[in-house]
Amino acid sequence: MDLLRLLTCGSVDDGKSTLIGRLLADSQLIHTDVLASLEADSAVHGSAGDQVDLALLTDGLRAEREQGITIDVAYRYFSTAKRKFIIADTPGHPQYTRNMATGASTCDLAVILIDARQGVLAQTKRHSHIASLLGIRQVVVAVNKMDLVGWSRERFAEICESYRSFAKALDSEAEPTGEAVARAARERSEQEREATGATTRRFAYPSGSVREPCFIPISALLGDNVVEPDDHLGWFDGPTLLEHLETVEIDAGVDTGHFRMPVQLVARPDASFRGYAGTIASGTLRPGDEVVALPSGLSSSVERIATFDGDLDIVGPGRAVTVTLADEIDISRGDLLVAPGGEPQRAHDLDAMVVWMAEAGAEPGSSYLLQTANAVSNCTVRSIRHRIDINTGAQEPAPGLGLNDIGHCVITSDRELAFDPYSANRATGSFVLVDRLTNATVAAGMVMGAASAWDRTPDAALVRQRSEISDGERAIRFGQQPCTILLTGLTAAGKSTLATALERELFDRGKVSIRLDGENVRMGISRDLGFSIQERSENLRRVSEVARLVNGQGLIAIAALVAPDGVVRQRARDLVGADRYVEVFVDTPIEVCRERDPHGLYAMADQGEIPRFPGVSARYDRPTDADLRVDTSAQSVDECVEAILRMLTEFGFLRGPSTP
């Protein structure tokens, strides 16, 4: 039987501990002596009236029983005829959100409880965000305490719709991994996974979006629809909670293609043996396989794979082993053994999502210890790009992060780190930040990748070279002031058409400009980039850098790009300079864009052939502070160009310096 790791989460008093107790009790999995102890404890600490308080089964700490809340994470193992389970009971109190994140970090499925009386609360949303960030794509929304709302079908439907509306933000935030990589992981044979001795079927390559949640109405206290169906919920034609847990499909499993083993100990019991002990994070290993040690880059071949029970011919994720090599190379605790050709990324600057867990907040410039699966280093929070509003899913500017905040940060380490994106490998893509003085864990982080060039520190040896020609001299020569015009909008909105027409009109007026069209750029300086969130950001950064250089020579730059991310557009404004940056929103309705689409891109996006297509399967942040808005479905090209020229004139870009 396979193993399903799951957790219960949600707000305070939604019934998480009671649900676990009910699952075990109704499945006849509580021993008689334990049940007798629960009955005695219920008389003292119970909150279920005359009934046995099943929440006490997991709430074992004295403080938990006295306060009637869950504080620490409690794990329970049980099995049915169809599947084995490890279930984590996590706290709902905001103060203990860090414990919820700990419990969720190894799970495949989240059961999010919602009190039918209260509906979707802030902590419900926070836990959902954290589960999504941690790669949990299977979600069950258990609407509990249906008995207290009269088993109302209408109330259940209302809560389902409320959560679906919120979950759309989670779906749009999820970033897919490469389909080829995900497909390769899925196609690994079941026989090979069994041969490697993988301990779980936890997926290493989660798909890019949260599955449609499964909504189930229950009463954990009374047991309705937890293990067995009940007449009170006769209108519900779905499965019971246990039926769903027994049959839900968990993405195939472990990554057997990209070998990673953090070295935790160099074993040297005597002069005749030197081995490197650690737990396989991903991939498979056999005697004779070549491995590379990072950060040194030295390579050797595997001689033995030793365990307490004897040597192994093959080993896979989750197994703790000691590896001996054919050559004596320098490997220390904290190094990473990998397969050649598929090495992880290496960088000092990390782009990461963090869940802040400390009362003391984080600010840019704050220093911590960064602990990964294989190393500890000094680090600094370089910048905080944004904080997630848990109620709306919106990205909002933030000067810092406070307790339970979820934020997007750039973190710089004093040593080069070897890592994979968290979406590709949980073990090598996660980290914690530790306070230097108290040794307390202050944040849990998920690596998105190496920080983009927006955030990298220039080499200290580089010095910007200054021109001997002044801005005033250039303005006199060209009869204009330099600026960058960004035309942003959906695909087929008319950006390139307007850019071409604007370039022509400026030329006819004797002005000097350069046009940076998105498609032309991707055939040149951005030919190495795809269309992920990070790559779109990097594309705009490169265009902005070119535009800044062009402006420095006194020229006007016209950039025509989709540029869907409002935060990245703001960074482009900052890079070019707010006094030289002009944003034009080409606000053509998406229906018109679809009709115009010359390459059928929208149709392919609808069919899932193009992932994360702005306006269809990914968000486009409509500019709220654009300098000008035009609509090519309601205005002619000439009218749009005239409006842009009028704006440039008003801003003073189309005239030379004032004469004394």
Side-chain angles (χ1 to χ4, degrees):
M1 292 189 295
D2 60 3
L3 173 66
L4 173 63
R5 295 176 180 268
L6 69 147
L7 78 152
T8 58
C9 56
S11 194
V12 180
D13 290 332
D14 281 350
K16 298 176 290 298
S17 300
T18 301
L19 174 62
I20 295 175
R22 177 58 64 185
L23 268 173
L24 297 176
D26 288 4
S27 300
Q28 307 299 314
L29 296 173
I30 301 179
H31 295 297
T32 304
D33 57 336
V34 176
L35 187 59
S37 177
L38 281 178
E39 292 174 350
D41 291 340
S42 296
V44 179
H45 301 289
S47 58
D50 295 334
Q51 302 182 55
V52 175
D53 189 351
L54 296 173
L56 299 178
L57 187 65
T58 56
D59 291 341
L61 298 178
R62 176 181 297 178
E64 292 178 320
R65 296 191 170 196
E66 290 176 348
Q67 299 179 53
I69 62 172
T70 301
I71 296 176
D72 201 2
V73 182
Y75 295 93
R76 287 293 180 271
Y77 170 86
F78 69 100
S79 63
T80 66
K82 298 180 179 180
R83 179 171 273 172
K84 295 184 291 185
F85 301 90
I86 294 178
I87 186 167
D89 180 23
T90 63
H93 197 286
Q95 181 180 348
Y96 304 114
T97 297
R98 58 185 179 274
N99 292 347
M100 179 270 165
T102 301
S105 62
T106 58
C107 289
D108 308 313
L109 180 146
V111 179
I112 299 175
L113 275 84
I114 298 177
D115 188 328
R117 300 168 301 174
Q118 305 293 331
V120 179
L121 301 176
Q123 192 69 343
T124 312
K125 297 176 180 179
R126 181 177 288 108
H127 281 192
S128 298
H129 272 290
I130 294 173
S132 177
L133 286 175
L134 290 171
I136 299 176
R137 305 298 177 214
Q138 293 284 4
V139 174
V140 177
V141 178
V143 183
N144 191 24
K145 305 186 182 182
M146 289 296 295
D147 53 307
L148 300 182
V149 294
W151 313 100
S152 171
R153 182 175 188 172
E154 291 73 21
R155 179 57 177 161
F156 175 71
E158 179 184 342
I159 292 174
C160 293
E161 183 57 35
S162 175
Y163 190 87
R164 281 195 187 97
S165 177
F166 156 75
K168 290 178 181 177
L170 298 181
D171 186 61
S172 66
E173 288 169 12
E175 172 70 8
T177 56
E179 283 301 315
V181 177
R183 184 166 56 254
R186 288 194 297 268
E187 290 176 353
R188 297 286 175 179
S189 69
E190 189 69 36
Q191 291 79 10
E192 183 173 10
R193 283 200 296 270
E194 292 176 357
T196 64
T199 58
T200 74
R201 295 185 66 226
R202 179 167 56 81
F203 50 96
Y205 290 110
S207 64
S209 60
V210 179
R211 306 289 195 277
E212 169 68 21
C214 175
F215 296 92
I216 301 177
I218 64 170
S219 172
L221 182 64
L222 303 180
D224 297 67
N225 220 35
V226 176
V227 174
E228 299 292 340
D230 190 271
D231 293 339
H232 292 126
L233 297 169
W235 45 264
F236 179 69
D237 58 2
T240 65
L241 178 61
L242 183 59
E243 287 173 347
H244 179 76
L245 297 179
E246 288 181 324
T247 58
V248 63
E249 293 185 6
I250 302 300
D251 285 353
V254 291
D255 171 22
T256 56
H258 301 79
F259 175 69
R260 306 281 189 267
M261 191 190 91
V263 175
Q264 298 166 332
L265 176 70
V266 178
R268 186 86 170 166
D270 54 54
S272 64
F273 185 90
R274 183 184 182 88
Y276 309 100
T279 300
I280 308 295
S282 63
T284 58
L285 190 68
R286 299 174 177 84
D289 285 353
E290 186 177 357
V291 294
V292 176
L294 298 179
S296 68
L298 299 174
S299 62
S300 182
S301 60
V302 176
E303 190 174 67
R304 294 174 54 197
I305 302 174
T307 70
F308 179 79
D309 297 317
D311 288 6
L312 300 177
D313 295 327
I314 183 173
V315 68
R319 290 296 299 269
V321 297
T322 298
V323 176
T324 65
L325 302 180
D327 304 292
E328 290 287 341
I329 62 176
D330 184 15
I331 299 177
S332 304
R333 172 181 167 85
D335 287 357
L336 185 66
L337 295 181
V338 303
E343 298 180 11
Q345 298 182 42
R346 299 170 69 176
H348 285 269
D349 303 303
L350 300 181
D351 198 24
M353 296 296 296
V354 301
V355 180
W356 201 256
M357 301 176 172
E359 295 283 354
E363 296 178 350
S366 301
S367 297
Y368 303 95
L369 295 177
L370 186 150
Q371 184 170 336
T372 63
N374 59 304
V376 177
S377 60
N378 299 309
C379 76
T380 301
V381 177
R382 169 77 61 77
S383 64
I384 298 174
R385 290 185 174 180
H386 60 257
R387 177 174 54 205
I388 300 295
D389 184 325
I390 62 168
N391 292 306
T392 64
Q395 301 172 358
E396 56 185 27
L401 297 178
L403 179 64
N404 297 332
D405 279 346
I406 300 171
H408 186 177
C409 302
V410 175
I411 297 173
T412 299
S413 170
D414 66 347
R415 58 175 286 182
E416 186 179 61
L417 301 174
F419 58 87
D420 297 290
Y422 184 84
S423 58
N425 192 311
R426 288 184 175 183
T428 55
S430 60
F431 64 88
V432 295
L433 298 181
V434 179
D435 186 280
R436 296 169 180 272
L437 299 178
T438 66
N439 208 36
T441 299
V442 298
M446 287 67 69
V447 177
M448 300 175 68
S452 73
W454 294 102
D455 304 290
R456 293 177 193 157
T457 304
D459 192 318
L462 298 178
V463 178
R464 187 174 296 278
Q465 300 300 307
R466 304 295 179 183
S467 174
E468 294 185 357
I469 305 172
S470 69
D471 292 343
E473 290 177 287
R474 296 184 193 279
I476 292 173
R477 170 65 60 87
F478 298 128
Q480 64 189 35
Q481 299 293 337
C483 68
T484 294
I485 306 159
L486 175 64
L487 298 164
T488 176
L490 295 173
T491 299
K495 303 180 296 299
S496 295
T497 301
L498 292 183
T500 303
L502 177 60
E503 179 188 35
R504 176 80 252 182
E505 184 63 29
L506 288 172
F507 181 83
D508 291 344
R509 294 189 180 197
K511 308 304 179 183
V512 185
S513 66
I514 180 172
R515 179 168 55 90
L516 301 169
D517 187 273
E519 292 194 34
N520 295 344
V521 167
R522 285 190 174 275
M523 289 189 286
I525 61 172
S526 293
R527 70 174 62 187
D528 59 318
L529 299 179
F531 294 88
S532 69
I533 291 175
Q534 290 86 353
E535 289 169 312
R536 285 185 182 276
S537 172
E538 172 60 14
N539 184 50
L540 181 54
R541 188 199 67 82
R542 294 180 185 182
V543 170
S544 301
E545 291 282 11
V546 172
R548 182 171 68 164
L549 293 174
V550 166
N551 290 166
Q553 302 302 307
L555 308 184
I556 295 172
I558 307 168
L561 303 168
V562 175
D565 193 320
V567 173
V568 177
R569 291 197 299 267
Q570 178 59 48
R571 302 177 84 178
R573 180 188 295 271
D574 296 339
L575 177 60
V576 172
D579 58 333
R580 289 182 171 181
Y581 180 91
V582 178
E583 189 168 289
V584 178
F585 178 25
V586 186
D587 189 15
T588 305
I590 191 171
E591 296 78 16
V592 177
C593 296
R594 285 178 175 275
E595 293 174 3
R596 291 177 178 172
D597 184 11
H599 305 298
L601 299 180
Y602 283 95
M604 287 189 283
D606 289 336
Q607 296 171 8
E609 297 177 21
I610 301 178
R612 298 199 61 79
F613 191 77
V616 179
S617 53
R619 71 172 187 272
Y620 174 83
D621 295 336
R622 293 173 56 85
T624 58
D625 56 353
D627 298 290
L628 179 67
R629 173 189 169 277
V630 296
D631 179 357
T632 59
S633 69
Q635 299 166 269
S636 67
V637 172
D638 290 342
E639 289 173 334
C640 293
V641 170
E642 184 58 36
I644 296 172
L645 291 170
R646 192 162 51 246
M647 175 193 61
L648 295 178
T649 301
E650 292 174 359
F651 288 176
F653 292 122
L654 297 187
R655 62 175 181 267
S658 301
T659 56

